[in-house]
């Protein structure tokens, strides 16, 4: 039986579930925020949204980490899981369903999923030899490893080329999944749409792997080696491979197994992952879903990584940033804005305290809040006669000084949307800030503070037009910033008295803001929105 499709208005965004062998760092924070921005942006377009998050707690990596710490495995997991749960709240994630793979209902769902694969004939037992990386929880072939000296220990050893992690030779009897049978269907799926794997560099990478050929996948480990996981149903001597277990979370979080009911939100509309785990999400996961007869995700969004000092972040080098500390120091929305603006989808971003401060000072305080303050009635001492008057003033006067800004404001929403739709939020916001810079130039040139002193009716009319442009620039930029800096953008919209019902994406249209007679007074307080940081 095929599953009935979910309602088209439902929009499901997933975060990867994080390993509980260490505390969250700024890279995890980025994934979390990016997923939240995508979800909020969909919500602004009237979608009913769901986000999943959680922790990946089984497998050898966690088992060994708990052993090293001399701790009970589950309480070890709980301690770190809680830190990732805290991160959701600290990042102001809009309502995520948080799942732990040690939850009993998830463990039952994994066993069910396994049985479906067995029933449909995609699991068999076989000899497996290969190189295993505990850190990556992945098998590698001879071609995917190299012998070299580990610079941190000076010892020779074998390492995975792609991740740089040490590997060990393993030869054992495992259950295997007939991944190779899905090669052609996977290629068709990816080639069938430009977008199922984004960005293109990752899409090409996945197609190249598939074209080179795929082997069947080892999906269990002998219990003697791996105890911490879900036992293979009917064979306690084997434990289900942690990645199969982990990937199933995206279904369990929506109530899998569904039986005769249809899922509410599955399949995911966007699955946010880092570029390090593309193979698992763009090859194994869709193949497992095809095998189980379940619908495929609409899109895998693989973002680039954060470096520090242009180097891969690593605890041993000491170049890891703690997101909780950074939020404390810069304020959440400033950090969210910096990560989204500077963080890449295709290209790596470099995390630096100086750059966070520059974004805060130049963009948020210098362009956005500054423009809002410059056109505010308290500063100018002008009484606004309802916003409708501003729009009418615009109809009457076409002034050559307005042409550039007029065109930019008119084009901005569609241009930004085409980038936002690809989750290129940083680039879309770049356009909004270009327009804010032009709006600041425009207000400097037109000097409303001089116009306000004149009693000439023409000058008074001109004042209304100038204010109209500035307020529209603030309004459009604030609406576009809502997914990224929800708290501050809402406060700006309060400041310019935009009704809460007019903060949807459809309201981001030049001139659309002031059709209802607005209030006569702008709220104070915009100057302290992005206070000076040390
Ligand atoms: O891979 N820059 O968990 P994980 C940006 N449990 N993002 C980064 C990053 C960096 N430097 N480092 C990590 C796992 N990330 C599995 C996932 S999903 C079914 C199972 C982000 O704790 C990025 O999203 O190692 C990456 O994919 C994720 O954290 C990996 O987190």
């Amino acid at each position: 039986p095929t599953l009935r499709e979910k309602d088209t208005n439902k929009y499901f965004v997933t975060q990867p579930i994080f390993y509980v062998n260490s505390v969250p760092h700024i890279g995890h924070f980025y994934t979390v925020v990016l997923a939240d921005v995508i979800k909020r942006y969909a919500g602004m377009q009237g979608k009913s949204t769901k986000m999943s998050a959680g922790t990946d707690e089984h497998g050898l990596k966690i088992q060994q980490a708990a052993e090293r710490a001399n701790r009970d495995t589950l309480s070890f997991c709980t301690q770190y899981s809680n830190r990732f749960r805290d991160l959701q709240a600290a990042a102001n994630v809009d309502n995520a369903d948080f799942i732990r793979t040690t939850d009993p209902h998830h463990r039952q769902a994994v066993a069910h999923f396994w049985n479906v694969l067995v029933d449909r004939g995609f699991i068999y037992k076989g000899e497996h030899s290969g190189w295993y990386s505990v850190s990556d929880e992945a098998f590698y072939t001879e071609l995917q490893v190299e012998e070299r000296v580990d610079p941190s220990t000076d010892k020779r050893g074998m390492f995975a080329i792609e991740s740089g992690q040490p590997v060990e030779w393993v030869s054992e009897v495992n259950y295997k999944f007939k991944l190779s049978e899905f090669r052609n269907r996977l290629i068709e799926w990816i080639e069938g749409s430009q977008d199922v794997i984004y960005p293109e560099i990752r899409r090409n990478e996945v197609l190249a792997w598939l074209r080179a050929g795929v082997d069947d996948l080892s999906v269990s480990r002998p219990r003697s080696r791996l105890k911490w996981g879900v036992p293979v149903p009917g064979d306690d001597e084997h434990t289900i491979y942690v990645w199969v277990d982990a990937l199933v979370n995206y279904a369990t979080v929506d109530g899998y197994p569904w039986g005769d009911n249809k899922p509410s939100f599955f399949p995911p509309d966007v699955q946010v992952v880092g570029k390090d785990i593309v193979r698992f999400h763009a090859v194994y996961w869709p193949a497992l879903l095809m095998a189980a007869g379940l619908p495929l995700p609409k899109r895998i969004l693989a973002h680039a990584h954060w470096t520090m000092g242009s180097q891969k972040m690593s605890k041993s080098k000491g170049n890891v940033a703690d997101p909780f500390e950074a939020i404390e120091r810069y304020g959440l929305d400033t950090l969210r804005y910096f990560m989204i603006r500077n963080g890449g989808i295709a290209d790596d971003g470099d995390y630096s305290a100086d750059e966070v401060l520059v974004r805060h000072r130049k963009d948020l305080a210098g362009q956005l809040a500054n423009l809002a303050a410059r056109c505010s009635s308290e500063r100018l001492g002008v009484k606004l006669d309802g916003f409708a008057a501003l729009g009418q003033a615009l109809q009457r006067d076409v002034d050559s000084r307005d042409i550039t800004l007029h065109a930019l404001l008119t084009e901005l929403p569609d241009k930004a949307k085409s980038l936002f739709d690809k989750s290129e939020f940083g680039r879309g916001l770049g356009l909004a800030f270009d327009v804010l810079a032009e709006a600041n130039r425009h207000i400097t040139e037109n000097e409303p503070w001089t116009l306000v002193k004149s009693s000439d009716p023409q000058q008074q009319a001109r004042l209304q037009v100038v204010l109209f442009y500035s307020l529209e620039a603030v309004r459009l930029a604030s609406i576009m910033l809502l997914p990224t800096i929800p708290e501050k953008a809402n406060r700006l919209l309060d400041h310019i008295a935009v009704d809460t019902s007019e903060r949807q994406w459809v309201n981001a249209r030049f001139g659309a803001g002031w059709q209802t007679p607005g209030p006569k007074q702008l709220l104070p307080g915009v100057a302290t929105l992005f206070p000076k940081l040390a």
Side-chain angles (χ1 to χ4, degrees):
T2 49
L3 214 59
R4 278 181 298 153
E5 273 281 322
K6 68 173 180 183
D7 303 342
T8 52
N9 197 43
K10 297 265 176 87
Y11 198 87
F12 181 20
V13 183
T14 71
Q15 297 176 22
I17 50 171
F18 299 106
Y19 285 129
V20 286
N21 62 323
S22 63
V23 294
H25 62 59
I26 206 80
H28 302 130
F29 175 79
Y30 177 60
T31 299
V32 168
V33 170
L34 180 58
D36 185 53
V37 172
I38 293 170
K39 177 183 185 251
R40 287 176 185 270
Y41 175 58
M44 283 177 77
Q45 295 174 81
K47 298 277 184 190
S48 155
T49 57
K50 176 190 176 81
M51 158 103 87
S52 73
T55 42
D56 188 357
E57 306 188 10
H58 292 135
L60 213 48
K61 179 184 173 115
I62 307 303
Q63 182 180 306
Q64 291 180 354
E67 273 164 15
R68 273 196 303 274
N70 206 4
R71 294 273 306 278
D72 162 67
T73 321
L74 186 59
S75 70
F76 178 85
C77 290
T78 302
Q79 179 190 340
Y80 287 104
S81 180
N82 286 342
R83 294 299 285 161
F84 282 99
R85 202 189 287 265
D86 293 345
L87 184 67
Q88 303 289 323
N92 189 16
V93 165
D94 182 31
N95 198 19
D97 289 314
F98 195 89
I99 182 169
R100 299 180 59 180
T101 54
T102 48
D103 288 343
H105 94 99
H106 172 77
R107 291 172 58 93
Q108 282 156 18
V110 171
H112 180 92
F113 187 81
W114 178 277
N115 285 332
V116 171
L117 297 183
V118 171
D119 288 349
R120 295 171 69 108
F122 293 110
I123 301 280
Y124 63 96
K125 219 169 179 176
E127 181 75 35
H128 186 86
S129 312
W131 296 97
Y132 196 78
S133 159
V134 175
S135 174
D136 301 336
E137 293 281 19
F139 273 108
Y140 292 105
T141 64
E142 210 58 62
L143 294 173
Q144 295 169 317
V145 297
E146 62 183 359
E147 189 181 342
R148 60 173 174 81
V149 174
D150 180 351
S152 61
T153 61
D154 253 5
K155 287 206 187 106
R156 277 200 93 69
M158 299 298 291
F159 296 85
I161 296 169
E162 202 178 296
S163 67
Q165 298 295 337
V167 291
E168 59 192 60
W169 181 255
V170 170
S171 182
E172 57 195 25
V173 172
N174 285 342
Y175 285 95
K176 293 180 119 181
F177 168 62
K178 292 183 184 168
L179 178 64
S180 57
E181 285 194 11
F182 295 95
R183 175 173 170 253
N184 291 342
R185 276 177 70 190
L186 286 168
I187 292 175
E188 276 166 31
W189 175 60
I190 296 167
E191 284 183 336
S193 150
Q194 198 54 42
D195 275 345
V196 287
I197 299 170
Y198 188 87
E200 201 173 358
I201 179 176
R202 301 297 157 224
R203 179 179 190 262
N204 293 340
E205 187 178 275
V206 174
L207 282 172
W209 292 331
L210 290 168
R211 291 196 181 111
V214 284
D215 294 330
D216 287 348
L217 180 68
S218 171
V219 286
S220 77
R221 304 296 310 276
R223 197 180 135 78
S224 56
R225 303 182 59 93
L226 174 65
K227 287 183 197 58
W228 189 241
V230 180
V232 167
D235 183 354
D236 277 356
E237 287 313 303
H238 284 264
T239 305
I240 296 176
Y241 175 39
V242 60
W243 266 103
V244 172
D245 173 345
L247 289 163
V248 171
N249 97 82
Y250 300 129
T252 2
V253 76
D254 194 38
Y256 177 84
W258 296 290
D260 292 334
N261 300 323
K262 71 173 178 178
S264 309
F265 282 90
F266 199 87
D269 292 273
V270 182
Q271 302 210 260
V272 180
V273 298
K275 65 178 181 180
D276 52 325
I277 53 174
V278 171
R279 181 193 305 270
F280 304 96
H281 286 84
V283 178
Y284 301 169
W285 172 231
L288 288 165
L289 290 171
M290 286 173 186
L294 295 174
L296 305 186
K298 304 274 189 260
R299 194 153 167 259
I300 307 291
L301 174 70
H303 64 71
H305 271 187
W306 283 89
T307 55
M308 258 177 100
S310 303
Q311 299 234 317
K312 199 177 149 99
M313 286 193 273
S314 99
K315 264 201 224 143
S316 52
K317 281 191 226 127
N319 62 339
V320 257
D322 175 347
F324 298 99
E325 262 172 45
I327 292 166
E328 190 76 13
R329 182 133 154 233
Y330 309 115
L332 176 63
D333 277 352
T334 289
L335 190 65
R336 284 177 61 116
Y337 173 69
F338 165 77
M339 300 297 287
I340 290 298
R341 183 73 199 271
N342 286 39
I345 300 298
D347 301 317
D348 286 351
D350 196 52
Y351 183 85
S352 105
D354 287 347
E355 289 301 314
V356 183
L357 294 175
V358 168
R359 287 290 179 206
H360 178 87
R361 181 167 43 86
K362 287 202 173 157
D363 294 4
L364 297 174
Q367 296 291 353
L368 180 63
N370 187 35
L371 182 64
R374 292 172 93 189
C375 62
S376 75
S377 51
E378 51 174 342
R379 178 90 80 87
L380 291 170
V382 62
K383 207 163 147 36
L384 291 172
D385 191 17
F387 291 125
L390 303 184
Q392 280 156 17
L394 184 74
Q395 310 284 306
R396 284 194 302 272
D397 295 285
V398 179
D399 192 301
S400 63
R401 286 169 295 184
D402 305 336
I403 289 171
T404 308
L405 183 57
H406 192 105
L408 285 174
L409 285 168
T410 308
E411 292 163 1
L412 176 63
D414 284 343
K415 281 192 170 170
K417 184 171 189 300
S418 69
L419 289 164
F420 281 16
D421 286 345
K422 293 193 269 187
S423 307
E424 297 278 6
F425 295 98
R427 285 166 56 197
L429 292 181
L431 299 179
F433 275 90
D434 289 346
V435 177
L436 286 173
E438 175 58 25
N440 270 302
R441 206 199 53 72
H442 179 263
I443 202 170
T444 304
E445 179 183 323
N446 288 287
E447 299 184 15
W449 41 89
T450 309
L451 294 171
V452 81
K453 292 183 198 131
S454 163
S455 52
D456 175 352
Q458 260 189 337
Q459 300 277 17
Q460 284 301 317
R462 179 70 194 149
L463 170 66
Q464 298 283 311
V465 174
V466 172
L467 287 177
F468 175 79
Y469 276 108
S470 303
L471 288 164
E472 273 296 84
V474 174
R475 189 184 66 86
L476 290 192
S478 300
I479 291 180
M480 284 172 200
L481 278 159
L482 275 170
T484 303
I485 51 168
E487 194 215 320
K488 299 289 167 112
N490 270 315
R491 278 178 55 193
L492 269 166
L493 290 165
D494 292 345
H495 171 76
I496 58 169
V498 173
D499 195 84
T500 48
S501 68
E502 291 177 359
R503 299 179 186 186
Q504 300 296 310
W505 187 263
V506 290
N507 301 113
R509 286 262 134 249
F510 175 51
W514 316 123
Q515 278 161 5
T516 48
K520 318 239 165 178
Q521 184 84 43
L522 300 179
L523 300 178
V526 75
T528 57
L529 210 51
F530 298 101
K532 223 175 156 144
L533 293 175

